[in-house]
Amino acid sequence: MVRLDRWIANTCGLSRKTVKELVRGGLVTVNDLKVLDPGAGIDPQNDVLTVNGETYRQTPFAYLMLHKPLGVVSATNDRDQKTVLELVPPALYRKGLFPAGRLDKDTTGFVLLTDDGAFAHRILSPKNHIRKTYVASLERPLGDEGLQTLQNGLTLRDGTRLLPAQVRCLSDDRKTVELQICEGKYHQIRRMLAAVGCPVTALMRTAMGALPLDSTLSPGACRPLTPDEVQKILE
Ligand code: URA
């Protein structure tokens, strides 16, 4: 179950305030019944909603969280190398699954596998500001100047302009850092950190939007997301 107002806000791209006004104004129905409580629970897989006369039905797409291990490529097929799709157990596999956003072969962590192209586009488009969180281990400590440069946004040597990142040091020696970015340029985190003199020795994606990688999921394992977790990615 997910909250009615959260689901409408995310699905229709409206603010929570607007959604509350619509619901309280009697402009939202669930299975043909007017619902006046914005916090009511709905089942997006089965309930049919109308918002301002428009009907919304969640199509039953698949959304899987995979803990990508080292050495696997984020592709749907590859002649020589193992792909993330080969890690999906037969019970969860379905035609059309693809990784929504790539991780390098040497990066571990959260990969979303889905067959919902519109959702993938939504979470990957920088204009929607869905943050992806990474933890990087560094060869050298990240100094204040480097940290500031990353937070201001920088231009790489090849002219690629990068938006400001949120950065914090996770260890006293400043060699373990967390970065949040809203875009996904080629080798972005590794290139950003190399640009400030701190080559990456290990990299893991730990969250997409407000949804953290499930810490009980071992490398190589995957599981379906609940509707609520899918919505969290959009936050
Ligand atoms: N940035 C990188 O450098 N590599 C990844 O896999 C993801 C982000």
Side-chain angles (χ1 to χ4, degrees), residues 25-121:
L27 293 167
V28 171
T29 65
V30 178
N31 304 327
D32 288 333
L33 293 174
K34 216 178 263 184
V35 175
L36 298 173
D37 173 11
I42 57 155
D43 172 3
Q45 304 291 346
N46 295 306
D47 291 336
V48 179
L49 274 84
T50 64
V51 180
N52 239 343
E54 289 248 19
T55 301
Y56 293 86
R57 183 199 287 275
Q58 181 106 338
T59 42
F61 287 119
Y63 305 92
L64 305 178
M65 175 191 282
L66 169 75
H67 184 162
K68 179 188 159 323
L70 281 174
V72 173
V73 293
S74 298
T76 45
N77 56 60
D78 191 287
R79 274 205 359 220
D80 309 312
Q81 310 185 80
K82 190 163 187 163
T83 69
V84 284
L85 283 190
E86 290 172 52
L87 297 171
V88 179
L92 295 177
Y93 185 83
R94 62 156 90 181
K95 219 169 133 235
L97 277 180
F98 64 92
R102 287 162 181 256
L103 289 184
D104 303 336
K105 189 174 166 188
D106 295 331
T107 301
T108 59
F110 189 168
V111 171
L112 175 73
L113 299 170
T114 184
D115 51 356
D116 184 345
F119 184 81
H121 178 74

Side-chain angles (χ1 to χ4, degrees), residues 102-108 134 181 184-191 203 205:
R102 287 162 181 256
L103 289 184
D104 303 336
K105 189 174 166 188
D106 295 331
T107 301
T108 59
Y134 296 87
I181 56 173
K185 303 232 163 88
Y186 178 68
H187 287 185
Q188 181 163 341
I189 299 281
R190 291 175 199 275
R191 289 196 297 159
L203 184 61
R205 179 151 68 196

Side-chain angles (χ1 to χ4, degrees), residues 181-234:
I181 56 173
C182 296
E183 46 186 357
K185 303 232 163 88
Y186 178 68
H187 287 185
Q188 181 163 341
I189 299 281
R190 291 175 199 275
R191 289 196 297 159
M192 282 164 82
L193 285 158
V196 295
C198 300
V200 169
T201 56
L203 184 61
M204 180 177 201
R205 179 151 68 196
T206 56
M208 296 183 78
L211 183 66
L213 175 66
D214 182 341
S215 59
T216 66
L217 217 51
S218 47
C222 81
R223 69 158 175 85
L225 295 180
T226 66
D228 211 30
E229 288 176 324
V230 174
Q231 295 299 307
K232 279 215 170 95
I233 295 180
L234 297 171

